[in-house]
């Protein structure tokens, strides 16, 4: 059952990531689709995980579906890594470093927001 849940969640997460890529501007300093996917993936994973730890009444299948599947398909550090490599290969070292720092910062912020949200409303 777990494998099916990861498959379904991962497919839906990847689809959302693709839609973010399609709808967000492409002429920005950073790949916004990946940046947003990583933010939302970290945020949703944190909300689900914090709720699971705090309340404990969430069935483990939801954790597998949402964190491992959906957030794993949505948040993609592999894409981020390849994008950083492209910046490096084109000689844009400062841009690569700023993109890494920006990505890390927004993911940490999303985790802080997720914990705060669950603590406030759960």
């Amino acid at each position: 059952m777990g494998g099916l849940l990861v498959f379904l969640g991962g497919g839906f997460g990847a689809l959302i990531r693709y839609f973010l890529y399609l709808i967000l501007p492409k002429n920005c300093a950073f790949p916004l689709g990946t940046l947003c996917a990583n933010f939302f993936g970290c945020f949703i994973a944190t909300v689900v995980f914090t709720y699971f730890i705090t309340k404990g009444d969430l069935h483990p299948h939801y954790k597998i579906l949402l964190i491992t599947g959906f957030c794993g398909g949505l948040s993609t550090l592999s894409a981020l890594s390849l994008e950083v490599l492209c910046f490096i290969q084109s000689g844009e070292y400062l841009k690569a470093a700023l993109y890494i720092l920006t990505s890390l910062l927004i993911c940490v912020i999303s985790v802080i927001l997720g914990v705060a949200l669950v603590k406030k409303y759960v």
Side-chain angles (χ1 to χ4, degrees), residues 37-84:
N38 286 332
F39 174 84
F40 289 121
C42 289
F43 179 76
I44 293 166
T46 300
V47 167
V48 172
F49 182 77
T50 305
Y51 182 88
F52 189 79
I53 295 300
T54 304
K55 290 295 188 178
D57 61 353
L58 187 66
H59 194 281
H61 284 154
Y62 289 111
K63 188 176 167 190
I64 293 169
L65 174 73
L66 296 171
I67 295 176
T68 306
F70 180 75
C71 293
L74 174 63
S75 178
T76 170
L77 289 177
S78 58
L80 175 125
S81 299
L82 289 172
E83 290 161 351
V84 168

Side-chain angles (χ1 to χ4, degrees), residues 2 7 11 18 24 26 33 35-36 50-52 55-56 58 60 74 84-86 93-94 97 102 105 107-108 110:
F7 174 75
Y18 177 67
L24 292 172
K26 313 270 182 297
L35 204 60
C36 288
T50 305
Y51 182 88
F52 189 79
K55 290 295 188 178
L58 187 66
L74 174 63
V84 168
L85 178 64
C86 289
Y93 304 109
L94 180 60
T102 302
L105 182 63
C107 289
V108 170
S110 72

